[in-house]
Amino acid sequence: MRNLINFLLKYNYWFLFILLEVASFVLLFRFNRYQQSAFFTSANTVVGAVYDVSGGISSYFHLKSVNEDLLDRNMLLEQQISNLEKALKERQVDSITINSVRQMPQSDYQLFKAHVIKNSLTLPDNYITLDKGSSSGIRSEMGVIDGNGIVGIVYETSPSYSVVISVLNSKSNISCKIIGSDYFGYLKWEHGDSRYAYLKDLPRHAEFNLGDTVVTSGFSTVFPEGIMVGTVDDMSDSNDGLSYLLKIKLATDFGKLGDVRVIARNGQEEQKKLENKVTKE
């Protein structure tokens, strides 16, 4: 206590000076309109700059949730486009009908959120590990996608994790088609560049152009129709000369996989059991 008193006595002139300065500034800005206006203008500028910085920091830490929302919206938009394409093929529609089709319920599938915790690109058979498993509703033979396109198919699950057969795997064999055409082929990856795969068995009479978009055909129990795969980058003849071999530039960047969605198609188990039964007979 004695030290505090000595400190106050030693610097009492400084404290008196600061007190008088504060009082003078209060009187100056309170009873003079010009100075008051200048003070508030400067204060608002400083406060605005502080809020701008704090808002930027807050937005940065919310980027993950924003990205997840965008991924869900992309999936919804892709399904809406698929619904519109089906409707346009079945009947002639006007703008009112198109708007009603956009509101069709998305009841053909369920989506489960997951995050990639392990990934490989350079092996002949690449696998991906997700941080969600059977306890989250994920099971084998479900499709996996990200915000750009297809990623792979769930192979095995444990209660907390899933192993996915990547598109970059010799065992991967996904039915795909070119938008605007009903002809389909099978997407296969040849060990090498992770940016490209090949669409095989596309009939010779199928029409297409370089740059055309390739999507899932829907002819499987795994992926619904219309999920983005990539674009036609190059073409050649197959070994037997009876079909085309198309080089596809994949939409998914497998070197940057993060948040993904696992697709559960309703009726998948029933369709699979029926097809297996017919195959065994």
Side-chain angles (χ1 to χ4, degrees):
M1 188 67 182
R2 181 180 299 175
N3 291 334
L4 177 61
I5 295 174
N6 291 334
F7 175 79
L8 294 175
L9 291 174
K10 183 177 180 180
Y11 296 102
N12 62 333
Y13 294 109
W14 284 103
F15 291 125
L16 178 61
F17 172 75
I18 293 173
L19 179 63
L20 292 175
E21 284 291 321
V22 171
S24 63
F25 277 114
V26 170
L27 293 173
L28 176 66
F29 289 112
R30 184 170 183 179
F31 297 105
N32 295 275
R33 291 184 179 179
Y34 175 77
Q35 286 82 358
Q36 187 179 49
S37 175
F39 170 76
F40 282 116
T41 299
S42 301
N44 286 339
T45 302
V46 173
V47 171
V50 171
Y51 281 150
D52 188 35
V53 173
S54 63
I57 295 173
S58 177
S59 297
Y60 176 80
F61 286 107
H62 285 85
L63 283 178
K64 183 176 181 180
S65 61
V66 171
N67 286 337
E68 289 183 352
D69 291 339
L70 288 175
L71 191 55
D72 289 336
R73 289 175 180 270
N74 284 341
M75 270 300 304
L76 178 61
L77 288 172
E78 286 180 1
Q79 188 60 28
Q80 287 177 341
I81 291 172
S82 179
N83 288 336
L84 287 170
E85 288 178 348
K86 291 177 182 178
L88 289 170
K89 288 180 181 178
E90 292 173 358
R91 60 188 184 275
Q92 292 183 342
V93 295
D94 54 21
S95 59
I96 296 177
T97 308
I98 291 176
N99 288 333
S100 67
V101 174
R102 288 182 181 273
Q103 305 302 321
M104 289 174 62
Q106 310 304 312
S107 58
D108 293 340
Y109 62 86
Q110 292 177 291
L111 293 178
F112 301 96
K113 297 180 180 180
H115 187 77
V116 174
I117 58 175
K118 185 178 180 181
N119 185 20
S120 62
L121 302 175
T122 58
L123 302 174
D125 294 318
N126 295 289
Y127 292 90
I128 299 167
T129 304
L130 306 181
D131 65 349
K132 297 292 176 62
S134 57
S135 61
S136 299
I138 297 174
R139 59 181 184 271
S140 60
E141 298 194 27
M142 286 184 175
V144 182
I145 64 173
D146 73 351
N148 297 312
I150 60 172
V151 172
I153 300 173
V154 177
Y155 181 57
E156 293 285 353
T157 63
S158 68
S160 301
Y161 301 97
S162 302
V163 174
V164 176
I165 296 178
S166 170
V167 169
L168 310 180
N169 189 305
S170 63
K171 300 182 180 69
S172 178
N173 193 25
I174 300 172
S175 178
C176 303
K177 68 177 184 178
I178 298 173
I179 283 186
S181 171
D182 290 328
Y183 297 107
F184 66 95
Y186 296 92
L187 188 74
K188 295 287 290 184
W189 182 65
E190 304 291 343
H191 178 50
D193 198 330
S194 63
R195 297 173 299 171
Y196 298 94
Y198 291 87
L199 186 60
K200 299 185 175 183
D201 296 338
L202 192 71
R204 292 282 301 179
H205 51 278
E207 296 182 359
F208 61 89
N209 295 296
L210 297 181
D212 282 353
T213 301
V214 178
V215 297
T216 53
S217 67
F219 297 153
S220 73
T221 60
V222 180
F223 291 103
E225 180 182 0
I227 302 297
M228 182 67 177
V229 175
T231 55
V232 179
D233 186 73
D234 200 0
M235 61 164 290
S236 60
D237 291 329
S238 62
N239 293 331
D240 58 14
L242 300 177
S243 59
Y244 286 120
L245 179 65
L246 304 186
K247 185 178 182 181
I248 307 301
K249 185 175 183 180
L250 299 171
T252 301
D253 187 345
F254 285 87
K256 296 182 179 180
L257 289 180
D259 293 319
V260 297
R261 297 295 181 268
V262 182
I263 304 175
R265 293 191 66 184
N266 294 332
Q268 182 183 35
E269 290 295 324
E270 180 182 352
Q271 181 180 347
K272 182 182 175 183
K273 288 180 180 178
L274 179 60
E275 291 174 349
N276 289 339
K277 180 180 179 181
V278 173
T279 302
K280 293 178 180 179
E281 291 180 352

